[in-house]
Amino acid sequence: MKLAYYPGCSLEATAVEYGVSTQKTAQVLGVELQEIPGWNCCGATSAHSTDRVLSLALPARNLALAEREGLDILAPCAACYSRFRATEHQVRRDAGLQRQIQEIIGMDYQARNQTLSILEVLAGRIGLEAIGGKVTRPLKGMKPACYYGCLLVKPVEYTGFDDPEYPESMDNIMKTLGAKPVAWSHQTECCGASLATTRPEVGLRMTYEILKNAQERGADSIVTVCPLCQMNLDMRQSQVEKMFGVKFNLPVYYITELVAVACGVAPEEVGINRHFVNALYHINHLPEEVEEETDQATARQKAAPEVDRAKAARKAEAGEEPAGGTAATAGAAETPAPASPAENAGASKGALKLASRIFADDEAKAARLAGILSADAEKMKKVAQLLAQDKEKAVKVAEAFIKKEAKAKGEEVAGE
Amino acid sequence: MEKVLVAPAPTQKDIIRRLEQESGTEVSLCYQCGKCTAGCPAAFAMDYTPRQVIRLLQLEMVDEALKAQSPWICATCETCTTRCPRGVDVASLMDALRREALRMGIVTDHRVATFNQTFLKLVERYGRVHEVGLLMEFNLKTRQLFKDAELGLPMFKRGKVHLLPEVIKDQGHVKQMFARVKQTGGESS
């Protein structure tokens, strides 16, 4: 397969990893990329805020250069992609506009070729099966939030290769690479990149919302397909953390970096060492073993609320324990922690193993922790992730969980 | 005596028609459901929400709409356009409002306008955007010299910064395009 390649200005500078990893991925997957000779900036986002004709002429010159070669175009940057698609779309619909654009660029342009996003090329043209066949280092244990950003799937009129509200192509690619993407709500929310420079107070808040949602949904990283998104989420993550007084520490990858790594390329070779939030450590220390345990816990957690509710209802009926009634109304969100060591026997194997790794020399504490963790998949996930990154932190958090549980119990007693 | 032709000032209706034409949409289609505003990730910072901006246009309060902060806060993420049940292209309308405001010399947000101007000047000069040059010139023009300065050195260390702009081979071609757009009445200058 041969495609014209339009890197765009960012991939040569601030998003140099995206450029390098796109070329590497293409090489690994057997796609020939022919850079458009003498390509010019697409004008995003300043041109379409300033002059409509200019905003169409700038992409049109590149499109026309590729059309001469009879090639479709790969534009990895979502902003470039969006401007290219908008131009194709409008030129195809309006013969008068087409003539005007041809005059301005001084070239023939029929809009016969089309621009492809990196996701279309990977999931569509190359195909998941072909990618899966090349994976030699599966990204097991990775729980990324797949972030499509705003422009890649919207508006459908121009883009249309994936659903604008629930896109799946990147999630499918990540699954093919062996990762387990999380379900989250901000996958197509705008990161505010165009405002980060001009109105940071607005832009940083938009970035914050995305990072927060990813973290809340248990993601250990974010995967992007746009140099502006990546820069905002990665480079400005420290600014966001400072502004909102939080800590995220979420590595932000480009999809192409991960495809290349999963296909056996060294992370440094595709620039993963050049990120602002340390991604190299993350990719080299994916929590493979702990991950499976967490999954078991999640499955248990899914089944648990029903059982718990039924149990609590029975207890309430018998008039044994009024606290049981409140737990039942609280529902799935707050599964009651096991009260006695006898109930700890119900702790999952995974939780016991994890707890014994955290409190290696304190069996009582470990048993208690196991009880807490098997009752709450979120807590389990958190401890498991922390253990993979920083044991000291994991121990601290585990201690905090135990303290909190003790306190909650103490209050219950006082209340009775 | 010299004859001077004075074009009549465009009426509110003329401006609305031009906005609709440029954005390929009609403001009368909107039935004010507010879905655009509900999904807008930047609405929290706007003086008029996207729905209200359209309402202003429906009521022919064009000046109010052109002076609003909202078009300059809009991040052009296209969520409103994607979700509108009436097919109103709200994002393109915001684009058209920004351009109309520029044309009429009403610029509520000089930072955004300066950024765009600086950006396009670089494209005209080199054919591509030189990110460092853009940020430095923008900071100079808006008198915030040390904005994002803490990111400069780390960027340099990571090899993400080219100190000198790259000039494309056919730079003259791009310059010609800018000239032709200006001749045909564009406002990119």
Side-chain angles (χ1 to χ4, degrees):
Chain A
M1 190 195 318
K2 187 173 172 185
L3 293 168
Y5 175 53
Y6 179 79
C9 306
S10 293
L11 271 68
E12 307 261 292
T14 44
V16 61
E17 314 92 310
Y18 199 13
V20 172
S21 61
T22 297
Q23 304 230 21
K24 198 79 207 171
T25 297
Q27 189 195 329
V28 170
L29 299 175
V31 178
E32 190 187 334
L33 296 181
Q34 183 182 311
E35 186 166 328
I36 298 174
W39 55 267
N40 61 275
C41 170
C42 75
T45 57
S46 294
H48 63 85
S49 296
T50 311
D51 188 295
R52 174 162 181 255
V53 175
L54 181 71
S55 78
L56 299 172
L58 287 170
R61 177 176 175 270
N62 301 305
L63 285 162
L65 286 170
E67 193 175 58
R68 271 186 194 167
E69 309 285 321
L71 293 174
D72 286 340
I73 299 155
L74 167 64
C77 168
C80 300
Y81 167 77
S82 170
R83 294 322 305 166
F84 276 45
R85 296 289 287 197
T87 305
E88 288 170 21
H89 180 76
Q90 294 185 39
V91 164
R92 279 188 203 122
R93 279 208 316 193
D94 184 342
L97 180 71
Q98 186 194 353
R99 270 195 304 279
Q100 193 183 1
I101 296 294
Q102 290 192 114
E103 269 164 35
I104 285 169
I105 63 176
M107 293 165 77
D108 181 45
Y109 175 52
Q110 305 293 331
R112 270 193 302 261
N113 54 350
Q114 60 168 328
T115 309
L116 304 166
S117 72
I118 190 77
L119 294 179
E120 269 170 294
V121 171
L122 289 172
R125 296 268 170 121
I126 298 171
L128 297 176
E129 220 167 286
I131 296 174
K134 299 267 182 184
V135 172
T136 54
R137 177 187 167 179
L139 305 176
K140 279 214 179 107
M142 184 174 186
K143 293 194 128 188
C146 291
Y147 179 57
Y148 299 77
C150 54
L151 291 175
L152 204 73
V153 288
K154 286 185 281 197
V156 197
E157 218 185 350
Y158 304 164
T159 58
F161 72 92
D162 208 336
D163 190 281
E165 303 287 358
Y166 299 103
E168 290 184 311
S169 47
M170 199 195 318
D171 290 79
N172 291 337
I173 296 167
M174 287 309 297
K175 281 180 204 160
T176 306
L177 302 183
K180 285 219 169 84
V182 300
W184 65 315
S185 62
H186 279 50
Q187 72 262 47
T188 66
E189 206 75 356
C190 172
C191 73
S194 66
L195 299 167
T197 313
T198 51
R199 288 192 177 236
E201 74 287 359
V202 181
L204 289 183
R205 168 141 168 214
M206 290 160 79
T207 308
Y208 164 73
E209 295 290 342
I210 290 160
L211 291 165
K212 190 175 86 167
N213 187 245
Q215 192 184 46
E216 281 172 359
R217 299 299 302 157
D220 65 354
S221 55
I222 298 181
V223 190
T224 62
V225 273
C226 170
L228 304 174
C229 298
Q230 201 276 348
M231 184 163 82
N232 244 9
L233 294 171
D234 183 43
M235 184 181 85
R236 295 192 188 276
Q237 198 173 116
S238 58
Q239 289 182 343
V240 172
E241 287 176 338
K242 216 164 140 194
M243 190 167 166
F244 290 89
V246 286
K247 233 22 206 158
F248 289 116
N249 199 23
L250 282 171
V252 186
Y253 296 98
Y254 290 107
I255 182 83
T256 42
E257 289 175 339
L258 295 174
V259 174
V261 168
C263 294
V265 177
E268 291 87 345
E269 216 181 308
V270 286
I272 289 181
N273 53 333
R274 295 191 187 190
H275 293 202
F276 282 77
V277 178
N278 192 337
L280 196 60
Y281 183 85
H282 174 253
I283 195 87
N284 285 333
H285 296 83
L286 292 176
E288 191 168 341
E289 195 189 337
V290 183
E291 175 65 17
E292 279 164 27
E293 295 164 9
T294 320
D295 283 348
Q296 281 171 12
T298 315
R300 288 172 67 92
Q301 175 76 355
K302 270 185 193 152
E306 247 89 277
V307 179
D308 284 340
R309 228 173 282 149
K311 234 196 243 170
R314 245 180 282 129
K315 274 185 188 168
E317 252 175 31
E320 277 175 18
E321 199 185 77
T326 38
T329 43
E334 282 173 68
T335 318
S340 62
E343 275 189 54
N344 266 358
S348 74
K349 248 192 215 165
L352 283 168
K353 206 165 144 195
L354 183 61
S356 66
R357 270 169 68 185
I358 293 205
F359 298 119
D361 38 33
D362 190 338
E363 254 178 63
K365 242 186 189 172
R368 199 143 175 211
L369 179 65
I372 297 173
L373 294 184
S374 57
D376 189 335
E378 285 299 317
K379 282 183 183 159
M380 174 108 159
K381 206 166 10 175
K382 190 159 181 201
V383 172
Q385 268 170 14
L386 280 174
L387 183 65
Q389 289 166 0
D390 185 346
K391 190 179 170 185
E392 225 170 275
K393 233 181 179 172
V395 172
K396 261 191 204 159
V397 169
E399 300 259 20
F401 284 158
I402 292 178
K403 241 190 217 162
K404 210 170 149 193
E405 197 222 8
K407 209 177 154 193
K409 267 194 201 159
E411 275 165 10
E412 250 178 54
V413 172
E416 281 168 358
Chain B
M1 213 173 92
E2 199 181 349
K3 251 191 195 169
V4 182
L5 280 178
V6 182
T11 64
Q12 308 272 302
K13 275 214 173 79
D14 290 338
I15 299 175
I16 292 174
R17 208 164 303 134
R18 184 151 65 189
L19 289 171
E20 290 187 326
Q21 208 175 3
E22 284 222 345
S23 57
T25 201
E26 272 178 54
V27 290
S28 60
L29 284 173
C30 167
Y31 54 25
Q32 293 285 298
C33 69
K35 206 174 178 189
C36 48
T37 300
C40 176
F44 71 89
M46 292 179 174
D47 46 359
Y48 288 104
T49 64
R51 177 188 65 79
Q52 288 170 334
V53 170
I54 296 181
R55 190 66 185 142
L56 287 174
L57 295 175
Q58 288 179 332
L59 297 172
E60 296 186 12
M61 296 167 75
V62 179
D63 262 10
E64 202 68 24
L66 288 173
K67 281 180 194 147
Q69 299 273 338
S70 311
W72 303 95
I73 290 170
C74 164
T76 339
C77 75
E78 308 271 1
T79 304
C80 46
T81 299
T82 305
R83 294 185 182 168
C84 177
R86 300 283 294 154
V88 178
D89 191 345
V90 191
S92 293
L93 204 58
M94 290 287 190
D95 256 349
L97 274 168
R98 276 193 288 263
R99 296 193 297 255
E100 189 63 35
L102 277 181
R103 220 178 332 225
M104 298 183 61
I106 311 169
V107 180
T108 316
D109 191 328
H110 283 279
R111 280 183 294 179
V112 175
T114 306
F115 181 86
N116 290 343
Q117 258 173 17
T118 314
F119 186 107
L120 291 176
K121 206 177 283 165
L122 287 173
V123 179
E124 185 174 5
R125 204 182 300 157
Y126 306 119
R128 286 178 198 171
V129 165
H130 176 232
E131 288 166 323
V132 179
L134 172 63
L135 287 179
M136 283 180 28
E137 208 170 324
F138 172 73
N139 285 356
L140 264 176
K141 281 184 177 163
T142 51
R143 301 181 186 196
Q144 31 183 3
L145 289 190
F146 297 106
K147 191 183 167 297
D148 287 337
E150 80 272 17
L151 299 173
L153 188 63
M155 292 276 268
F156 186 72
K157 278 194 196 150
R158 286 168 172 78
K160 295 183 163 208
V161 167
H162 298 296
L163 292 179
L164 293 174
E166 196 179 344
V167 185
I168 69 169
K169 223 173 65 192
D170 234 351
Q171 168 207 7
H173 189 188
V174 175
K175 269 192 183 146
Q176 262 174 17
M177 284 163 51
F178 273 80
R180 287 188 199 125
V181 169
K182 270 173 216 168
Q183 270 169 21
T184 53
E187 51 284 316
S188 60
S189 49

